[in-house]
Amino acid sequence: AKENGKSDIQIFNSEMRSVSLQKLQLENDLRRAITNNEFVLHYQPQVEIESGQIVGMEALIRWNHPQKGFIPPGDFIPFAEQSGLIVPISEWVLHEACQQNQAWQDAGLPKVPVSVNLSSRQFLQHNLKAKVDQVLQHTGLAPQFLELEITESMTMDVEHAIASLLELKQLGVQVSIDDFGTGYSSLSYLKRFPVDRLKIDRSFVRDIMEDPSDAAIVATIISMTRHLNLKVIAEGVETEEQLSFLHRNQCHEVQGYWFSPPLTADKMGSMLRRITCS
Ligand code: C2E
Ligand code: CA
Ligand code: CA
Ligand code: CA
């Protein structure tokens, strides 16, 4: 038994070693990815149900790893958050999204705002306002075409969150609360947050047709936004049934595979061009 115990410990140690080696490898790879430009942004259209018009788009990062191929954000963003590498990555995302949006506007395409996901680290940075301002100045993008998405978990420190949001709002950018309903931000705080819209998390949207409580939650969030004078968009809308439920409940905007998955910048550009011509 003693010998078994000993070998358990050895296995444990070597597993730990390989986990930390993997992390080290990932960290090195991420550093290289930043300098080698291995990231790209895809864009997912947001549409107004009634008119079918594209009223926004969300920028979503993808990593084109030279050996491992495509890596989804869920596989590296959490690690990038832990290691602090999220800061330079996020700065790249913000700059790239604004530059691309301005390029489309310069090309005469319809002016459609872009939403960028903020990381919690970024949201805690004291110079966030200055950084965002710098990117707007540098790319020439008018602030009303930029929306910043924060999650409920970033608003845990309520006073800090309100102060940061007010600073961002002074720039003239839009702010939304992403994955709404999954966190536990108190509803009474919501009215104090200077945000423009809520994004209903796709976990609620997914089951609205099967689960009466999810349907009730979604309907309640929508009606609450109306009373608070906030805009609202439902995420992860995949089916016609979900769409008509949302429409009936007066949610005006949707994002999801039903209309389109996230697209490369080229494809998003073509989609914008098509609406100009039609
Ligand atoms: P999110 O902000 O909630 O983004 C929406 C995610 O839902 C995206 O996954 C999108 O591809 C996916 N999605 C959209 N429509 C549908 C649908 O109809 N059905 C289903 N099943 N999924 C749908 P993605 O691109 O893999 O991103 C995952 C998460 O990674 C994002 O969740 C966001 O939290 C994070 N992320 C992505 N890009 C960035 C970024 O540039 N910066 C930061 N900080 N986080 C990012
Ligand atoms: Ca988001
Ligand atoms: Ca979301
Ligand atoms: Ca999410």
Side-chain angles (χ1 to χ4, degrees), residues 93-148:
V93 170
L94 187 63
H95 193 272
E96 176 71 16
C98 292
Q99 194 170 48
Q100 179 60 259
N101 199 275
Q102 184 58 42
W104 282 326
Q105 295 193 24
D106 288 342
L109 297 180
K111 299 180 187 222
V112 175
V114 64
S115 304
V116 171
N117 292 285
L118 284 189
S119 68
S120 26
R121 287 244 192 179
Q122 240 177 333
F123 193 59
L124 284 172
Q125 285 192 315
H126 62 93
N127 60 351
L128 177 62
K129 180 188 181 187
K131 291 262 177 179
V132 174
D133 195 26
Q134 214 171 46
V135 170
L136 292 171
Q137 299 293 335
H138 189 258
T139 59
L141 187 71
Q144 69 266 30
F145 295 110
L146 177 64
E147 179 182 74
L148 300 172

Side-chain angles (χ1 to χ4, degrees), residues 209-229:
M209 304 321 292
E210 296 87 36
D211 187 336
S213 29
D214 282 345
I217 290 169
V218 170
T220 305
I221 296 175
I222 298 166
S223 95
M224 179 186 69
T225 58
R226 204 163 42 245
H227 295 297
L228 293 174
N229 243 323

